[in-house]
Amino acid sequence: MNPSSQKTQEAPVSISHKTSQSRIPGYESEASTMGGTASELPEPSPYGSKRHSLDRIPSQTGSTNANIFSEPENVIEADMEKGGVAPPHPAGPPGFNPADFPDGGLEAWLVVAGGFCALFSTFGLVNCVGVFVDYYVQGPLSNYSASTVSWITSTQVFMMSGLNAVMGRLFDRYGPRWLLIIGTLVYAFGMMMLSLSTQYYQIILCQGIVSAVGMSAVFNSATNSVMGWFFKKRAAALGLTVSGSSLGGVVLPIMMEHLIPKIGFAWTIRALGFMFLALCGFACATVKSRLPPRKKPFNVMDYLRPLREPAFVCIVLAGFFFFWGMFLPFNYIELQARQQGIDPAIIPYLLPIINAVSIPGRILPGFLGDRFGRFNVMIFISGLSGVITLALWVPGKSTATTVVYGAVFGFASGGFISLLPAVVAQISDIREIGTRTGIAFFFAALGALTGSPIGGAIVSAQGGRFLGLQLFCGVVMTVGMLCFVASRTVQVGFKITKV
């Protein structure tokens, strides 16, 4: 047989072999191992897949839901939101490709269950900060102004959310196991020390710093672990996880309101501490990471590089402005209702009402985000939070108006906590998710740290009237919504599409 003819027949076999290897995660193409170049291979058809779930289709967005691959050139980009996959070259390590995410199963849902308990214990306590402010102002810290007292709870929120920049890095490097265990022990220790505290410096040290450090470790490990198990259902899974904080915000204020008069503040805090120890212990047993840790050396550019991305910067600004106003109703709605002459029997239940309605507010936006686009839903709920504050809380004077505002605000603001990690993950490398969500929550925490004291100072400057605080709250949350609009515009412009 003619040698040249033989070569002609063998060529397609070799090319097919090379192409199939390049499609398998974990394999390098022969072009790289044999010293050749990718240009020597013919361009494979992007529509050649026999598996419907792995078909690649034209992208509607400028980035994918899991950016673990370099931006492809001269090929049709995959759109994760439409069921496509990332380009097959360069191949990602096993477990990082979108098709590798389980999106369900016993292990994945146990992570969600453990995360639910973790969020009940951590963010659930943050959701009832108004009870602490009300108790301190009328009790052991009655000689301090409400603005000064609110620094305690603001510091707690800042430390819990702001330390995510550090905890996220530790999560990426070591995984969640030891973060959860150590965080649980530190959290329980801080609660026990708070039960013994009577002075301002003691309370801010125990509640605002020590317990908040433990809360941050537990909160970060739970939310970041969930994102590693889910891809298409990520926002929904996060919504279910974060709904634990809303349930905590319902149960804990009522529990404290009834226990403090009967057994005192000290034993109430101890009871909470033992309950949180048990719930976080369950989280330690069930929450784990599906993806291996990335043990790479510290590099400050890991924190600075995301800030060069316009879409990410807009998310960071949105988080800052929204957190600047979001905690004002949680901190001051009881004081404002009492000053306004609302029925005293209703006042202790205002925070539980806000948190009860935020349970579906945490869950439903997640499902809607997976269906209609997470940025689209985030814009709606953040805008609704600002508008309802200006349209209902500011002019409202009656008990009914205050209760209705609490319910609508609870639903609208509830989705923010569950969707913020989801929108960050949508434009991020999943292997850097801890660091990038940590950056977003750090800047959001700066807003939480300063928002309540600023609100308290506005009330003091206005002689105890809350109008200025209410206007400030509504305006800054609306600005947060506009920043989300800017982030979406950077990605896809003004097109009506799923983002």
Side-chain angles (χ1 to χ4, degrees):
M1 184 181 293
N2 192 331
S4 62
S5 172
Q6 191 173 20
K7 288 183 182 179
T8 305
Q9 293 174 359
E10 291 175 354
V13 177
S14 176
I15 291 172
S16 173
H17 175 67
K18 294 174 185 178
T19 305
S20 63
Q21 276 196 353
S22 68
R23 291 177 182 267
I24 302 174
Y27 283 86
E28 297 179 356
S29 67
E30 279 189 32
S32 62
T33 56
M34 300 298 292
T37 62
S39 62
E40 296 173 0
L41 299 177
E43 183 71 12
S45 170
Y47 300 100
S49 173
K50 300 291 186 183
R51 298 171 60 186
H52 178 71
S53 63
L54 296 183
D55 285 348
R56 300 172 63 212
I57 67 176
S59 175
Q60 303 298 315
T61 63
S63 60
T64 64
N65 225 16
N67 284 333
I68 62 174
F69 300 98
S70 303
E71 190 74 18
E73 296 181 2
N74 302 321
V75 297
I76 300 178
E77 183 183 322
D79 186 356
M80 301 308 168
E81 303 301 325
K82 301 293 185 180
V85 297
H89 58 81
F96 290 98
N97 292 299
D100 295 329
F101 288 75
D103 270 313
L106 179 61
E107 282 187 301
W109 291 117
L110 278 176
V111 173
V112 172
F116 179 93
C117 293
L119 271 291
F120 178 98
S121 306
T122 55
F123 226 106
L125 189 66
V126 168
N127 283 343
C128 60
V129 289
V131 177
F132 285 98
V133 173
D134 195 40
Y135 171 77
Y136 292 147
V137 167
Q138 298 185 63
L141 303 180
S142 57
N143 55 325
Y144 292 89
S145 68
S147 179
T148 303
V149 170
S150 66
W151 276 106
I152 296 172
T153 53
S154 295
T155 303
Q156 181 183 20
V157 175
F158 171 75
M159 293 294 289
M160 194 197 80
S161 300
L163 281 179
N164 280 358
V166 177
M167 300 301 177
R169 175 73 184 186
L170 294 175
F171 175 88
D172 288 340
R173 184 172 175 82
Y174 299 107
R177 178 175 174 79
W178 288 107
L179 270 180
L180 276 169
I181 294 173
I182 296 173
T184 297
L185 295 176
V186 171
Y187 185 23
F189 174 76
M191 292 294 290
M192 297 307 168
M193 292 299 101
L194 176 61
S195 71
L196 303 175
S197 303
T198 57
Q199 303 298 315
Y200 183 87
Y201 78 92
Q202 296 171 339
I203 294 173
I204 197 170
L205 178 64
C206 297
Q207 182 176 350
I209 298 177
V210 176
S211 65
V213 170
M215 293 166 72
S216 179
V218 174
F219 169 77
N220 187 281
S221 300
T223 54
N224 286 333
S225 294
V226 169
M227 286 189 282
W229 289 88
F230 294 89
F231 183 74
K232 292 182 180 179
K233 302 176 182 176
R234 181 178 292 158
L238 280 171
L240 291 170
T241 301
V242 177
S243 67
S245 66
S246 297
L247 183 62
V250 175
V251 174
L252 299 178
I254 297 175
M255 180 179 173
M256 293 178 68
E257 293 282 0
H258 285 79
L259 287 181
I260 290 175
K262 295 179 180 179
I263 62 176
F265 180 78
W267 274 106
T268 298
I269 296 301
R270 290 176 194 132
L272 293 178
F274 284 121
M275 181 174 67
F276 294 159
L277 185 63
L279 291 172
C280 290
F282 175 76
C284 290
T286 57
V287 174
K288 54 186 175 182
S289 178
R290 183 184 67 87
L291 304 174
R294 288 183 82 197
K295 293 190 175 181
K296 68 174 189 176
F298 173 79
N299 185 354
V300 70
M301 291 304 298
D302 291 339
Y303 289 95
L304 299 179
R305 191 182 307 111
L307 299 178
R308 297 176 179 175
E309 304 170 17
F312 185 83
V313 170
C314 290
I315 291 176
V316 166
L317 291 175
F320 171 81
F321 282 111
F322 197 86
F323 265 47
W324 218 10
M326 191 184 84
F327 287 98
L328 292 176
F330 288 95
N331 273 298
Y332 289 104
I333 194 168
E334 290 190 353
L335 295 175
Q336 183 266 340
R338 186 174 288 108
Q339 185 259 357
Q340 191 170 292
I342 300 297
D343 185 354
I346 297 294
I347 292 175
Y349 295 96
L350 287 176
L351 278 177
I353 288 171
I354 292 177
N355 289 303
V357 180
S358 73
I359 294 176
R362 297 279 202 259
I363 299 172
L364 185 59
F367 284 95
L368 294 176
D370 289 334
R371 176 67 180 85
F372 299 105
R374 290 147 199 170
F375 277 90
N376 297 337
V377 176
M378 178 64 100
I379 290 169
F380 174 77
I381 62 172
S382 56
L384 179 61
S385 299
V387 170
I388 201 68
T389 299
L390 296 173
L392 203 57
W393 196 26
V394 172
K397 304 297 181 185
S398 65
T399 299
T401 306
T402 303
V403 171
V404 170
Y405 166 72
V408 178
F409 175 78
F411 177 85
S413 64
F416 185 89
I417 302 299
S418 60
L419 281 180
L420 182 60
V423 295
V424 171
Q426 184 160 316
I427 62 170
S428 300
D429 181 337
I430 193 65
R431 294 170 294 181
E432 297 177 349
I433 195 63
T435 301
R436 291 172 70 93
T437 55
I439 295 169
F441 271 108
F442 173 77
F443 284 97
L446 290 176
L449 174 66
T450 57
S452 292
I454 289 174
I458 293 173
V459 172
S460 299
Q462 292 192 317
R465 292 183 293 114
F466 284 82
L467 177 60
L469 178 147
Q470 293 166 316
L471 290 172
F472 174 77
C473 175
V475 168
V476 295
M477 286 193 293
T478 304
V479 172
M481 179 270 291
L482 295 176
C483 291
F484 280 120
V485 172
S487 181
R488 183 190 188 280
T489 304
V490 166
Q491 298 176 67
V492 297
F494 293 100
K495 291 189 297 183
I496 300 176
T497 185
K498 178 182 177 182
V499 183

